[in-house]
Amino acid sequence: MKQRLLFLGPPGAGKGTQAERLAASQGLLHLSTGDLLRGEVAAATELGCEAEAVMARGELVSDGLVLAIVRSRLEGHSGGWLLDGFPRNLAQAEALNSLLEDLAQQIELVVLMELDDDRLIQRLLGRGRADDNEAVIRHRLEVYREQTEPLISYYRQRQLLEPVEASGSVEAIAARILELTS
Ligand code: B4P
């Protein structure tokens, strides 16, 4: 079983849903930068106050903030991990590479969850989080295309990328992912 994984994909593809499930069943540390940022917002920390307005607009929080969060969680953790929603641009991917070099660890698999825009929008409208109204969702999709999609060829070139069709039941998608990680 692969122990160091990234989940990549557009907003609403189900990264969080699948990551939580796989991490629990395989005993991996689940690091969702979205969840961690929402935790900071809820606790009204300095970082949370900085992140709140950016997230509400559907834009990406600054690389420095996100990196500090990821670094503090990965340092001192010796087991496997699953990064969900991070990296989200090339600068974050490069920063992750140097962090992993420092820790003498390597990514073993990048799971790309693929779903068409209509279904992404339907799912997110159904979820109804604070940043899930249609205008913000469309902006998040644009941000994904511009900033996150370049990571697909980045990880493909490194022969780490495995695409997964993210439609169907949660169980069916989980089974597809499990097969890739075994
Ligand atoms: P995230 O928290 O990462 O959330 P997401 O991409 O919108 O959703 P995800 O793909 O995880 O979908 P989910 O499982 O919830 O990002 C939120 C914001 O945080 C970003 O916009 C940004 O501002 C900030 N941020 C996060 N990471 C950052 C970073 N690295 N750098 C900078 N900023 C960062 O599923 C969505 C819905 O679909 C749910 O309602 C779920 O129940 C449903 N669903 C899941 N699977 C389904 C299925 N098979 N069938 C039907 N419905 C399904």
mmCIF file of all heavy atoms in Angstrom, residues 135-179:
data_model
loop_
_atom_site.group_PDB
_atom_site.id
_atom_site.type_symbol
_atom_site.label_atom_id
_atom_site.label_comp_id
_atom_site.label_asym_id
_atom_site.label_seq_id
_atom_site.Cartn_x
_atom_site.Cartn_y
_atom_site.Cartn_z
ATOM 1 N N ALA A 135 -21.735 32.127 -7.954
ATOM 2 C CA ALA A 135 -20.721 33.047 -8.492
ATOM 3 C C ALA A 135 -19.330 32.673 -7.960
ATOM 4 O O ALA A 135 -18.342 32.639 -8.706
ATOM 5 C CB ALA A 135 -21.072 34.481 -8.103
ATOM 6 N N VAL A 136 -19.272 32.379 -6.663
ATOM 7 C CA VAL A 136 -17.969 32.033 -6.063
ATOM 8 C C VAL A 136 -17.483 30.686 -6.606
ATOM 9 O O VAL A 136 -16.290 30.508 -6.895
ATOM 10 C CB VAL A 136 -18.058 32.030 -4.511
ATOM 11 C CG1 VAL A 136 -16.766 31.509 -3.895
ATOM 12 C CG2 VAL A 136 -18.345 33.433 -3.998
ATOM 13 N N ILE A 137 -18.403 29.738 -6.789
ATOM 14 C CA ILE A 137 -18.013 28.423 -7.328
ATOM 15 C C ILE A 137 -17.398 28.596 -8.715
ATOM 16 O O ILE A 137 -16.352 28.019 -9.030
ATOM 17 C CB ILE A 137 -19.239 27.474 -7.404
ATOM 18 C CG1 ILE A 137 -19.715 27.113 -6.000
ATOM 19 C CG2 ILE A 137 -18.900 26.217 -8.196
ATOM 20 C CD1 ILE A 137 -21.060 26.393 -5.961
ATOM 21 N N ARG A 138 -18.041 29.414 -9.566
ATOM 22 C CA ARG A 138 -17.509 29.613 -10.925
ATOM 23 C C ARG A 138 -16.111 30.242 -10.857
ATOM 24 O O ARG A 138 -15.222 29.882 -11.626
ATOM 25 C CB ARG A 138 -18.466 30.466 -11.767
ATOM 26 C CG ARG A 138 -19.718 29.697 -12.124
ATOM 27 C CD ARG A 138 -20.501 30.305 -13.270
ATOM 28 N NE ARG A 138 -21.725 29.545 -13.478
ATOM 29 C CZ ARG A 138 -21.793 28.400 -14.176
ATOM 30 N NH1 ARG A 138 -20.733 27.924 -14.768
ATOM 31 N NH2 ARG A 138 -22.950 27.743 -14.290
ATOM 32 N N HIS A 139 -15.924 31.162 -9.929
ATOM 33 C CA HIS A 139 -14.608 31.773 -9.791
ATOM 34 C C HIS A 139 -13.586 30.732 -9.323
ATOM 35 O O HIS A 139 -12.452 30.686 -9.804
ATOM 36 C CB HIS A 139 -14.682 32.962 -8.831
ATOM 37 C CG HIS A 139 -13.398 33.729 -8.757
ATOM 38 N ND1 HIS A 139 -12.730 34.184 -9.879
ATOM 39 C CD2 HIS A 139 -12.616 34.077 -7.720
ATOM 40 C CE1 HIS A 139 -11.613 34.781 -9.518
ATOM 41 N NE2 HIS A 139 -11.516 34.726 -8.212
ATOM 42 N N ARG A 140 -13.991 29.855 -8.377
ATOM 43 C CA ARG A 140 -13.064 28.822 -7.902
ATOM 44 C C ARG A 140 -12.668 27.882 -9.040
ATOM 45 O O ARG A 140 -11.528 27.425 -9.111
ATOM 46 C CB ARG A 140 -13.704 28.031 -6.756
ATOM 47 C CG ARG A 140 -13.567 28.770 -5.438
ATOM 48 C CD ARG A 140 -14.582 28.355 -4.415
ATOM 49 N NE ARG A 140 -14.516 26.969 -4.037
ATOM 50 C CZ ARG A 140 -15.540 26.317 -3.481
ATOM 51 N NH1 ARG A 140 -16.684 26.926 -3.271
ATOM 52 N NH2 ARG A 140 -15.407 25.066 -3.153
ATOM 53 N N LEU A 141 -13.623 27.618 -9.938
ATOM 54 C CA LEU A 141 -13.291 26.764 -11.088
ATOM 55 C C LEU A 141 -12.272 27.452 -12.002
ATOM 56 O O LEU A 141 -11.352 26.824 -12.510
ATOM 57 C CB LEU A 141 -14.558 26.384 -11.862
ATOM 58 C CG LEU A 141 -15.428 25.319 -11.168
ATOM 59 C CD1 LEU A 141 -16.790 25.193 -11.855
ATOM 60 C CD2 LEU A 141 -14.729 23.964 -11.172
ATOM 61 N N GLU A 142 -12.425 28.774 -12.187
ATOM 62 C CA GLU A 142 -11.450 29.519 -13.009
ATOM 63 C C GLU A 142 -10.067 29.488 -12.356
ATOM 64 O O GLU A 142 -9.052 29.278 -13.019
ATOM 65 C CB GLU A 142 -11.859 30.994 -13.124
ATOM 66 C CG GLU A 142 -12.924 31.271 -14.160
ATOM 67 C CD GLU A 142 -13.467 32.700 -13.997
ATOM 68 O OE1 GLU A 142 -12.768 33.561 -13.404
ATOM 69 O OE2 GLU A 142 -14.593 32.928 -14.438
ATOM 70 N N VAL A 143 -10.057 29.698 -11.041
ATOM 71 C CA VAL A 143 -8.779 29.674 -10.311
ATOM 72 C C VAL A 143 -8.144 28.290 -10.455
ATOM 73 O O VAL A 143 -6.933 28.159 -10.671
ATOM 74 C CB VAL A 143 -8.997 30.045 -8.817
ATOM 75 C CG1 VAL A 143 -7.748 29.785 -7.991
ATOM 76 C CG2 VAL A 143 -9.447 31.497 -8.686
ATOM 77 N N TYR A 144 -8.973 27.251 -10.386
ATOM 78 C CA TYR A 144 -8.461 25.881 -10.556
ATOM 79 C C TYR A 144 -7.813 25.723 -11.936
ATOM 80 O O TYR A 144 -6.699 25.224 -12.054
ATOM 81 C CB TYR A 144 -9.597 24.862 -10.363
ATOM 82 C CG TYR A 144 -9.154 23.452 -10.674
ATOM 83 C CD1 TYR A 144 -8.379 22.732 -9.771
ATOM 84 C CD2 TYR A 144 -9.455 22.849 -11.903
ATOM 85 C CE1 TYR A 144 -7.922 21.451 -10.068
ATOM 86 C CE2 TYR A 144 -9.003 21.570 -12.200
ATOM 87 C CZ TYR A 144 -8.233 20.880 -11.275
ATOM 88 O OH TYR A 144 -7.777 19.622 -11.577
ATOM 89 N N ARG A 145 -8.536 26.157 -12.991
ATOM 90 C CA ARG A 145 -7.998 26.001 -14.358
ATOM 91 C C ARG A 145 -6.672 26.742 -14.507
ATOM 92 O O ARG A 145 -5.727 26.232 -15.102
ATOM 93 C CB ARG A 145 -8.960 26.558 -15.415
ATOM 94 C CG ARG A 145 -10.349 26.012 -15.379
ATOM 95 C CD ARG A 145 -10.528 24.687 -16.130
ATOM 96 N NE ARG A 145 -11.878 24.209 -15.972
ATOM 97 C CZ ARG A 145 -12.244 23.105 -15.291
ATOM 98 N NH1 ARG A 145 -11.359 22.316 -14.756
ATOM 99 N NH2 ARG A 145 -13.512 22.776 -15.174
ATOM 100 N N GLU A 146 -6.615 27.957 -13.968
ATOM 101 C CA GLU A 146 -5.407 28.780 -14.177
ATOM 102 C C GLU A 146 -4.238 28.320 -13.308
ATOM 103 O O GLU A 146 -3.112 28.278 -13.760
ATOM 104 C CB GLU A 146 -5.700 30.244 -13.805
ATOM 105 C CG GLU A 146 -6.480 30.983 -14.860
ATOM 106 C CD GLU A 146 -7.051 32.292 -14.325
ATOM 107 O OE1 GLU A 146 -6.571 32.793 -13.293
ATOM 108 O OE2 GLU A 146 -8.018 32.783 -14.947
ATOM 109 N N GLN A 147 -4.519 28.031 -12.058
ATOM 110 C CA GLN A 147 -3.401 27.845 -11.119
ATOM 111 C C GLN A 147 -3.129 26.394 -10.752
ATOM 112 O O GLN A 147 -1.988 26.029 -10.508
ATOM 113 C CB GLN A 147 -3.675 28.641 -9.840
ATOM 114 C CG GLN A 147 -3.848 30.115 -10.137
ATOM 115 C CD GLN A 147 -3.706 30.966 -8.886
ATOM 116 O OE1 GLN A 147 -2.853 30.709 -8.049
ATOM 117 N NE2 GLN A 147 -4.549 31.962 -8.752
ATOM 118 N N THR A 148 -4.174 25.584 -10.677
ATOM 119 C CA THR A 148 -3.962 24.208 -10.189
ATOM 120 C C THR A 148 -3.779 23.219 -11.337
ATOM 121 O O THR A 148 -2.970 22.296 -11.239
ATOM 122 C CB THR A 148 -5.146 23.784 -9.282
ATOM 123 O OG1 THR A 148 -5.389 24.807 -8.312
ATOM 124 C CG2 THR A 148 -4.843 22.482 -8.552
ATOM 125 N N GLU A 149 -4.502 23.436 -12.453
ATOM 126 C CA GLU A 149 -4.414 22.472 -13.557
ATOM 127 C C GLU A 149 -2.985 22.241 -14.078
ATOM 128 O O GLU A 149 -2.659 21.120 -14.473
ATOM 129 C CB GLU A 149 -5.342 22.879 -14.698
ATOM 130 C CG GLU A 149 -6.416 21.844 -14.892
ATOM 131 C CD GLU A 149 -7.396 22.207 -16.002
ATOM 132 O OE1 GLU A 149 -7.079 23.032 -16.881
ATOM 133 O OE2 GLU A 149 -8.489 21.659 -15.960
ATOM 134 N N PRO A 150 -2.107 23.269 -14.077
ATOM 135 C CA PRO A 150 -0.729 22.994 -14.522
ATOM 136 C C PRO A 150 -0.040 21.880 -13.721
ATOM 137 O O PRO A 150 0.930 21.280 -14.202
ATOM 138 C CB PRO A 150 -0.023 24.344 -14.316
ATOM 139 C CG PRO A 150 -1.124 25.360 -14.414
ATOM 140 C CD PRO A 150 -2.338 24.701 -13.825
ATOM 141 N N LEU A 151 -0.554 21.581 -12.537
ATOM 142 C CA LEU A 151 0.057 20.500 -11.739
ATOM 143 C C LEU A 151 -0.178 19.129 -12.370
ATOM 144 O O LEU A 151 0.544 18.180 -12.078
ATOM 145 C CB LEU A 151 -0.509 20.492 -10.315
ATOM 146 C CG LEU A 151 -0.211 21.738 -9.473
ATOM 147 C CD1 LEU A 151 -0.807 21.584 -8.082
ATOM 148 C CD2 LEU A 151 1.284 21.953 -9.363
ATOM 149 N N ILE A 152 -1.185 19.043 -13.237
ATOM 150 C CA ILE A 152 -1.455 17.745 -13.872
ATOM 151 C C ILE A 152 -0.251 17.339 -14.717
ATOM 152 O O ILE A 152 0.279 16.234 -14.565
ATOM 153 C CB ILE A 152 -2.761 17.810 -14.707
ATOM 154 C CG1 ILE A 152 -3.956 18.069 -13.773
ATOM 155 C CG2 ILE A 152 -2.962 16.524 -15.503
ATOM 156 C CD1 ILE A 152 -5.279 18.275 -14.487
ATOM 157 N N SER A 153 0.224 18.246 -15.586
ATOM 158 C CA SER A 153 1.382 17.847 -16.405
ATOM 159 C C SER A 153 2.656 17.767 -15.566
ATOM 160 O O SER A 153 3.530 16.941 -15.829
ATOM 161 C CB SER A 153 1.562 18.752 -17.620
ATOM 162 O OG SER A 153 1.494 20.059 -17.240
ATOM 163 N N TYR A 154 2.731 18.591 -14.540
ATOM 164 C CA TYR A 154 3.892 18.565 -13.629
ATOM 165 C C TYR A 154 4.058 17.167 -13.018
ATOM 166 O O TYR A 154 5.145 16.586 -13.048
ATOM 167 C CB TYR A 154 3.655 19.618 -12.543
ATOM 168 C CG TYR A 154 4.734 19.774 -11.507
ATOM 169 C CD1 TYR A 154 5.803 20.643 -11.715
ATOM 170 C CD2 TYR A 154 4.675 19.088 -10.298
ATOM 171 C CE1 TYR A 154 6.782 20.808 -10.747
ATOM 172 C CE2 TYR A 154 5.641 19.243 -9.331
ATOM 173 C CZ TYR A 154 6.700 20.111 -9.556
ATOM 174 O OH TYR A 154 7.664 20.269 -8.597
ATOM 175 N N TYR A 155 2.963 16.609 -12.503
ATOM 176 C CA TYR A 155 3.083 15.286 -11.869
ATOM 177 C C TYR A 155 3.048 14.154 -12.903
ATOM 178 O O TYR A 155 3.602 13.090 -12.660
ATOM 179 C CB TYR A 155 2.000 15.110 -10.796
ATOM 180 C CG TYR A 155 2.302 15.927 -9.551
ATOM 181 C CD1 TYR A 155 1.448 16.930 -9.109
ATOM 182 C CD2 TYR A 155 3.476 15.709 -8.828
ATOM 183 C CE1 TYR A 155 1.750 17.690 -7.982
ATOM 184 C CE2 TYR A 155 3.794 16.474 -7.699
ATOM 185 C CZ TYR A 155 2.925 17.457 -7.281
ATOM 186 O OH TYR A 155 3.227 18.209 -6.169
ATOM 187 N N ARG A 156 2.421 14.418 -14.050
ATOM 188 C CA ARG A 156 2.450 13.384 -15.097
ATOM 189 C C ARG A 156 3.890 13.171 -15.567
ATOM 190 O O ARG A 156 4.345 12.054 -15.723
ATOM 191 C CB ARG A 156 1.547 13.778 -16.267
ATOM 192 C CG ARG A 156 1.364 12.646 -17.252
ATOM 193 C CD ARG A 156 0.484 13.014 -18.426
ATOM 194 N NE ARG A 156 -0.925 13.076 -18.085
ATOM 195 C CZ ARG A 156 -1.717 14.110 -18.350
ATOM 196 N NH1 ARG A 156 -1.241 15.182 -18.960
ATOM 197 N NH2 ARG A 156 -2.981 14.090 -18.012
ATOM 198 N N GLN A 157 4.600 14.295 -15.778
ATOM 199 C CA GLN A 157 6.006 14.190 -16.214
ATOM 200 C C GLN A 157 6.848 13.409 -15.214
ATOM 201 O O GLN A 157 7.810 12.753 -15.577
ATOM 202 C CB GLN A 157 6.619 15.587 -16.352
ATOM 203 C CG GLN A 157 6.328 16.238 -17.674
ATOM 204 C CD GLN A 157 6.634 17.737 -17.651
ATOM 205 O OE1 GLN A 157 7.338 18.234 -16.773
ATOM 206 N NE2 GLN A 157 6.094 18.454 -18.612
ATOM 207 N N ARG A 158 6.461 13.514 -13.948
ATOM 208 C CA ARG A 158 7.212 12.786 -12.913
ATOM 209 C C ARG A 158 6.681 11.365 -12.721
ATOM 210 O O ARG A 158 7.074 10.673 -11.793
ATOM 211 C CB ARG A 158 7.140 13.571 -11.592
ATOM 212 C CG ARG A 158 8.024 14.799 -11.635
ATOM 213 C CD ARG A 158 7.691 15.861 -10.608
ATOM 214 N NE ARG A 158 8.603 16.998 -10.723
ATOM 215 C CZ ARG A 158 8.577 17.908 -11.702
ATOM 216 N NH1 ARG A 158 7.668 17.813 -12.677
ATOM 217 N NH2 ARG A 158 9.443 18.898 -11.732
ATOM 218 N N GLN A 159 5.765 10.964 -13.580
ATOM 219 C CA GLN A 159 5.183 9.610 -13.587
ATOM 220 C C GLN A 159 4.544 9.225 -12.260
ATOM 221 O O GLN A 159 4.636 8.084 -11.812
ATOM 222 C CB GLN A 159 6.254 8.591 -13.988
ATOM 223 C CG GLN A 159 6.737 8.914 -15.388
ATOM 224 C CD GLN A 159 7.791 7.975 -15.900
ATOM 225 O OE1 GLN A 159 8.535 7.398 -15.125
ATOM 226 N NE2 GLN A 159 7.859 7.842 -17.194
ATOM 227 N N LEU A 160 3.881 10.231 -11.664
ATOM 228 C CA LEU A 160 3.218 9.966 -10.381
ATOM 229 C C LEU A 160 1.699 10.012 -10.514
ATOM 230 O O LEU A 160 0.985 9.622 -9.598
ATOM 231 C CB LEU A 160 3.650 11.031 -9.352
ATOM 232 C CG LEU A 160 5.101 10.943 -8.873
ATOM 233 C CD1 LEU A 160 5.492 12.200 -8.103
ATOM 234 C CD2 LEU A 160 5.285 9.703 -8.007
ATOM 235 N N LEU A 161 1.204 10.507 -11.669
ATOM 236 C CA LEU A 161 -0.219 10.830 -11.783
ATOM 237 C C LEU A 161 -1.077 9.644 -12.210
ATOM 238 O O LEU A 161 -0.762 8.962 -13.180
ATOM 239 C CB LEU A 161 -0.392 11.950 -12.808
ATOM 240 C CG LEU A 161 -1.765 12.607 -12.784
ATOM 241 C CD1 LEU A 161 -1.794 13.712 -11.728
ATOM 242 C CD2 LEU A 161 -2.120 13.195 -14.139
ATOM 243 N N GLU A 162 -2.192 9.438 -11.496
ATOM 244 C CA GLU A 162 -3.184 8.428 -11.889
ATOM 245 C C GLU A 162 -4.561 9.081 -11.879
ATOM 246 O O GLU A 162 -5.047 9.478 -10.815
ATOM 247 C CB GLU A 162 -3.190 7.242 -10.908
ATOM 248 C CG GLU A 162 -1.956 6.383 -10.963
ATOM 249 C CD GLU A 162 -1.886 5.473 -12.206
ATOM 250 O OE1 GLU A 162 -2.882 5.408 -12.967
ATOM 251 O OE2 GLU A 162 -0.838 4.837 -12.389
ATOM 252 N N PRO A 163 -5.215 9.216 -13.044
ATOM 253 C CA PRO A 163 -6.557 9.805 -13.062
ATOM 254 C C PRO A 163 -7.627 8.826 -12.587
ATOM 255 O O PRO A 163 -7.497 7.616 -12.793
ATOM 256 C CB PRO A 163 -6.777 10.151 -14.541
ATOM 257 C CG PRO A 163 -5.698 9.492 -15.297
ATOM 258 C CD PRO A 163 -4.706 8.892 -14.363
ATOM 259 N N VAL A 164 -8.659 9.363 -11.952
ATOM 260 C CA VAL A 164 -9.790 8.549 -11.492
ATOM 261 C C VAL A 164 -11.076 9.255 -11.887
ATOM 262 O O VAL A 164 -11.210 10.465 -11.661
ATOM 263 C CB VAL A 164 -9.762 8.411 -9.942
ATOM 264 C CG1 VAL A 164 -11.077 7.857 -9.424
ATOM 265 C CG2 VAL A 164 -8.636 7.512 -9.510
ATOM 266 N N GLU A 165 -11.998 8.510 -12.476
ATOM 267 C CA GLU A 165 -13.318 9.050 -12.807
ATOM 268 C C GLU A 165 -14.068 9.261 -11.476
ATOM 269 O O GLU A 165 -14.307 8.312 -10.743
ATOM 270 C CB GLU A 165 -14.024 8.025 -13.713
ATOM 271 C CG GLU A 165 -15.463 8.300 -14.004
ATOM 272 C CD GLU A 165 -15.691 9.621 -14.720
ATOM 273 O OE1 GLU A 165 -14.998 9.875 -15.711
ATOM 274 O OE2 GLU A 165 -16.569 10.375 -14.273
ATOM 275 N N ALA A 166 -14.422 10.535 -11.198
ATOM 276 C CA ALA A 166 -14.994 10.854 -9.884
ATOM 277 C C ALA A 166 -16.516 10.903 -9.909
ATOM 278 O O ALA A 166 -17.134 11.589 -9.094
ATOM 279 C CB ALA A 166 -14.417 12.169 -9.370
ATOM 280 N N SER A 167 -17.150 10.161 -10.861
ATOM 281 C CA SER A 167 -18.615 10.081 -10.857
ATOM 282 C C SER A 167 -19.033 8.704 -10.345
ATOM 283 O O SER A 167 -18.225 7.775 -10.327
ATOM 284 C CB SER A 167 -19.155 10.296 -12.270
ATOM 285 O OG SER A 167 -18.729 9.253 -13.094
ATOM 286 N N GLY A 168 -20.304 8.623 -9.933
ATOM 287 C CA GLY A 168 -20.810 7.369 -9.363
ATOM 288 C C GLY A 168 -20.922 7.500 -7.855
ATOM 289 O O GLY A 168 -20.780 8.602 -7.310
ATOM 290 N N SER A 169 -21.150 6.371 -7.185
ATOM 291 C CA SER A 169 -21.341 6.432 -5.734
ATOM 292 C C SER A 169 -20.000 6.635 -5.027
ATOM 293 O O SER A 169 -18.936 6.342 -5.592
ATOM 294 C CB SER A 169 -21.984 5.138 -5.240
ATOM 295 O OG SER A 169 -21.067 4.079 -5.389
ATOM 296 N N VAL A 170 -20.077 7.123 -3.797
ATOM 297 C CA VAL A 170 -18.862 7.317 -2.993
ATOM 298 C C VAL A 170 -18.107 5.990 -2.888
ATOM 299 O O VAL A 170 -16.876 5.938 -3.014
ATOM 300 C CB VAL A 170 -19.248 7.861 -1.588
ATOM 301 C CG1 VAL A 170 -18.060 7.839 -0.638
ATOM 302 C CG2 VAL A 170 -19.805 9.280 -1.699
ATOM 303 N N GLU A 171 -18.854 4.884 -2.697
ATOM 304 C CA GLU A 171 -18.223 3.559 -2.546
ATOM 305 C C GLU A 171 -17.507 3.132 -3.836
ATOM 306 O O GLU A 171 -16.402 2.595 -3.784
ATOM 307 C CB GLU A 171 -19.265 2.482 -2.191
ATOM 308 C CG GLU A 171 -19.861 2.597 -0.797
ATOM 309 C CD GLU A 171 -20.802 3.777 -0.631
ATOM 310 O OE1 GLU A 171 -21.374 4.263 -1.652
ATOM 311 O OE2 GLU A 171 -20.971 4.247 0.510
ATOM 312 N N ALA A 172 -18.153 3.382 -4.975
ATOM 313 C CA ALA A 172 -17.548 2.970 -6.249
ATOM 314 C C ALA A 172 -16.247 3.742 -6.498
ATOM 315 O O ALA A 172 -15.241 3.167 -6.934
ATOM 316 C CB ALA A 172 -18.535 3.199 -7.395
ATOM 317 N N ILE A 173 -16.255 5.023 -6.198
ATOM 318 C CA ILE A 173 -15.047 5.838 -6.410
ATOM 319 C C ILE A 173 -13.954 5.393 -5.434
ATOM 320 O O ILE A 173 -12.785 5.264 -5.805
ATOM 321 C CB ILE A 173 -15.380 7.345 -6.245
ATOM 322 C CG1 ILE A 173 -16.450 7.759 -7.256
ATOM 323 C CG2 ILE A 173 -14.129 8.197 -6.406
ATOM 324 C CD1 ILE A 173 -17.156 9.062 -6.937
ATOM 325 N N ALA A 174 -14.356 5.107 -4.199
ATOM 326 C CA ALA A 174 -13.384 4.648 -3.188
ATOM 327 C C ALA A 174 -12.697 3.369 -3.649
ATOM 328 O O ALA A 174 -11.485 3.201 -3.479
ATOM 329 C CB ALA A 174 -14.082 4.428 -1.844
ATOM 330 N N ALA A 175 -13.469 2.469 -4.267
ATOM 331 C CA ALA A 175 -12.889 1.197 -4.731
ATOM 332 C C ALA A 175 -11.876 1.454 -5.842
ATOM 333 O O ALA A 175 -10.808 0.831 -5.882
ATOM 334 C CB ALA A 175 -14.004 0.267 -5.207
ATOM 335 N N ARG A 176 -12.186 2.410 -6.741
ATOM 336 C CA ARG A 176 -11.235 2.740 -7.828
ATOM 337 C C ARG A 176 -9.930 3.269 -7.243
ATOM 338 O O ARG A 176 -8.835 2.928 -7.696
ATOM 339 C CB ARG A 176 -11.829 3.836 -8.735
ATOM 340 C CG ARG A 176 -12.901 3.345 -9.669
ATOM 341 C CD ARG A 176 -13.576 4.513 -10.431
ATOM 342 N NE ARG A 176 -14.967 4.164 -10.664
ATOM 343 C CZ ARG A 176 -15.995 5.019 -10.749
ATOM 344 N NH1 ARG A 176 -15.793 6.319 -10.648
ATOM 345 N NH2 ARG A 176 -17.210 4.592 -10.941
ATOM 346 N N ILE A 177 -10.062 4.123 -6.241
ATOM 347 C CA ILE A 177 -8.857 4.735 -5.652
ATOM 348 C C ILE A 177 -8.038 3.680 -4.909
ATOM 349 O O ILE A 177 -6.815 3.627 -5.032
ATOM 350 C CB ILE A 177 -9.255 5.906 -4.713
ATOM 351 C CG1 ILE A 177 -9.893 7.033 -5.532
ATOM 352 C CG2 ILE A 177 -8.048 6.419 -3.938
ATOM 353 C CD1 ILE A 177 -10.446 8.187 -4.722
ATOM 354 N N LEU A 178 -8.733 2.808 -4.178
ATOM 355 C CA LEU A 178 -8.034 1.781 -3.399
ATOM 356 C C LEU A 178 -7.188 0.891 -4.310
ATOM 357 O O LEU A 178 -6.063 0.522 -3.982
ATOM 358 C CB LEU A 178 -9.052 0.956 -2.607
ATOM 359 C CG LEU A 178 -8.473 0.046 -1.532
ATOM 360 C CD1 LEU A 178 -7.740 0.871 -0.459
ATOM 361 C CD2 LEU A 178 -9.576 -0.775 -0.874
ATOM 362 N N GLU A 179 -7.733 0.603 -5.475
ATOM 363 C CA GLU A 179 -7.004 -0.250 -6.411
ATOM 364 C C GLU A 179 -5.666 0.409 -6.823
ATOM 365 O O GLU A 179 -4.657 -0.262 -6.965
ATOM 366 C CB GLU A 179 -7.881 -0.472 -7.640
ATOM 367 C CG GLU A 179 -7.580 -1.764 -8.352
ATOM 368 C CD GLU A 179 -8.567 -1.987 -9.481
ATOM 369 O OE1 GLU A 179 -9.789 -1.924 -9.225
ATOM 370 O OE2 GLU A 179 -8.105 -2.177 -10.619
#
